[in-house]
Amino acid sequence: MKDIAQRAGVSESAVSFALNNRPGVSEVTRDRVRRVAEQLGWRPSTAARALSGEGSATVGLVLARPAATLGVDSFFLQLISGIQEILAERQLGLLFQVVEDVSAECAVYRRWWAEHRVDGVLVVDPRTDDPRPGLLDELGLPGVVIGALPGDTGPHPGLSQVRADDAGAMASIVGRLHELGHRRIVHIAGLPSLAHTERRIRSLRIEADRRGLAEVRSLTTDYSDTQGAAVTRRVLEEDLPPTALIYDNDVMAAAGSAVTAGLGLAVPQDVSVVSWEDSALCRLMHPWLTALSRDTIAFGRLAARELAALLDGGAARTVQVPLPRLIERESTARARVEPTVSRPLTPEEIK
């Protein structure tokens, strides 16, 4: 500020008024100070702005998942890319942290709030029993929940939601597999504590009951290729194995396809495979994987825009993203018609 004041020929207090857009200097002086500041490469200190109550120009994102599973998850990479596009336009920084569980995530929010580190947060992976909305209400920290909260959480005036239709997406998958003749379907799901996992499992049961499919079920995992492969092997070695598998991400679908081949079964002749998330991995597999396609980068952009709107003083709201589209590739086909088991005729039938 001293350098700017000397070059602009004004006092340091005038520089402060001009750069903080406060009254006390003329527009001519304000313009001159800003031009000099630009020439000197001056930028406002976010730490100083936070201490003065003007905000940190930063938003936060915490992921409470095992770090090992995040490294191969294409969904979060694309989501963060979309978020960053909008934050860069708004000259907002992103403070990112990975923690082990939701309790640690809540501790991070408390610390960020106490230190004025962020102006708002992006919340991912809503839980069935989620303490985060109540905590953010208590702290008065604006946020956007990416994915729908459970229906019984109550109103949250500082939280917007960007909702995905998990139930509708599952209905579209089950409907198509049913059309292809599949009656034994296993859904290899993600973490059981996540709200979207619960919605997908519930939708699967509803669709199965509606169509009279008794041999349809969900099995939960940690989203990793290891658990995805282990569950696949277990169900395919059963006496009456499924004819179709639905995986909650592309990594598990790829691992499951490899296990299927290792057991001497062919995709899709013996087992059809569907991935919930589409990615380059789905198109690098042989055969190419049928998958739900959605614009995850646009999902991230929308979430960031909703948070920016809250920071600008807008009201919290809920926005629905478009239903994902099922792209059919080589990994799904009509279910095989199982041969009728022959048996000896009874004496009565011989007569």
Side-chain angles (χ1 to χ4, degrees):
M1 289 180 66
K2 183 181 293 184
D3 293 340
I4 295 171
Q6 289 176 351
R7 183 169 296 193
V10 297
S11 66
E12 290 183 37
S13 59
V15 172
S16 177
F17 291 150
L19 296 180
N20 290 292
N21 202 28
R22 293 175 179 167
V25 294
S26 69
E27 287 304 314
V28 173
T29 300
R30 194 184 308 276
D31 290 342
R32 183 165 73 250
V33 168
R34 287 175 175 171
R35 283 198 304 272
V36 171
E38 186 69 26
Q39 292 167 4
L40 293 176
W42 176 86
R43 293 291 182 272
S45 165
T46 55
R49 288 179 62 185
L51 289 172
S52 64
E54 295 181 21
S56 64
T58 303
V59 301
L61 172 61
V62 183
L63 293 183
R65 284 211 191 174
T69 65
L70 289 174
V72 292
D73 196 323
S74 62
F75 172 81
F76 281 113
L77 294 175
Q78 294 181 63
L79 184 76
I80 292 172
S81 295
I83 290 169
Q84 187 57 41
E85 278 188 31
I86 302 305
L87 297 184
E89 290 176 5
R90 295 288 302 255
Q91 296 185 333
L92 293 170
L94 179 64
L95 187 57
F96 177 71
Q97 190 162 340
V98 177
V99 296
E100 285 298 317
D101 53 36
V102 172
S103 296
E105 182 177 344
C106 289
V108 170
Y109 291 151
R110 290 185 182 279
R111 186 175 72 252
W112 283 352
W113 173 80
E115 296 174 354
H116 304 283
R117 297 287 298 278
V118 297
D119 299 328
V121 293
L122 294 154
V123 181
V124 297
D125 287 343
R127 262 59 176 186
T128 53
D129 184 16
D130 204 324
R132 296 172 297 175
L135 172 61
L136 296 175
D137 288 344
E138 174 191 327
L139 298 177
L141 194 59
V144 171
V145 178
I146 301 174
L149 289 169
D152 57 354
T153 61
H156 299 283
L159 286 181
S160 288
Q161 295 185 56
V162 178
R163 299 174 63 99
D165 188 358
D166 293 288
M170 179 60 81
S172 70
I173 296 174
V174 176
R176 182 54 183 151
L177 290 175
H178 182 262
E179 288 174 356
L180 291 172
H182 294 280
R183 302 296 181 262
R184 298 196 303 275
I185 302 170
V186 171
H187 168 217
I188 300 180
L191 294 163
S193 61
L194 301 184
H196 68 250
T197 301
E198 182 184 65
R199 283 192 296 272
R200 294 174 190 180
I201 291 173
R202 185 169 61 247
S203 177
L204 180 77
R205 289 173 181 162
I206 291 171
E207 295 301 317
D209 290 346
R210 190 163 69 85
R211 293 174 169 83
L213 304 178
E215 297 176 85
V216 174
R217 58 196 160 121
S218 296
L219 300 169
T220 56
T221 69
D222 65 355
Y223 279 115
S224 70
D225 57 328
T226 302
Q227 288 199 12
V231 173
T232 301
R233 179 177 296 277
R234 188 166 80 238
V235 298
L236 290 181
E237 289 180 339
E238 293 174 349
D239 292 337
L240 204 59
T243 64
L245 298 169
I246 304 169
Y247 293 88
D248 262 6
N249 70 13
D250 53 342
V251 173
M252 291 197 298
S257 296
V259 167
T260 302
L263 292 173
L265 300 172
V267 176
Q269 290 84 356
D270 298 308
V271 186
S272 284
V273 171
V274 179
S275 169
W276 194 277
E277 296 291 343
D278 194 14
S279 70
L281 180 59
C282 295
R283 300 182 296 278
L284 293 172
M285 294 291 299
H286 178 72
W288 284 17
L289 300 182
T290 293
L292 279 177
S293 177
R294 59 178 168 180
D295 192 341
T296 307
I297 292 176
F299 200 1
R301 291 191 199 107
L302 178 58
R305 286 193 188 101
E306 291 301 313
L307 183 54
L310 285 178
L311 299 182
D312 289 340
R317 64 176 192 155
T318 297
V319 182
Q320 185 81 39
V321 300
L323 185 70
R325 179 169 58 94
L326 185 64
I327 298 180
E328 293 191 61
R329 300 193 179 104
E330 301 165 343
S331 69
T332 47
R334 287 204 160 272
R336 277 186 172 178
V337 177
E338 297 180 352
T340 303
V341 178
S342 61
R343 59 178 176 81
L345 295 176
T346 65
E348 290 76 12
E349 289 173 328
I350 294 173
K351 291 176 182 179

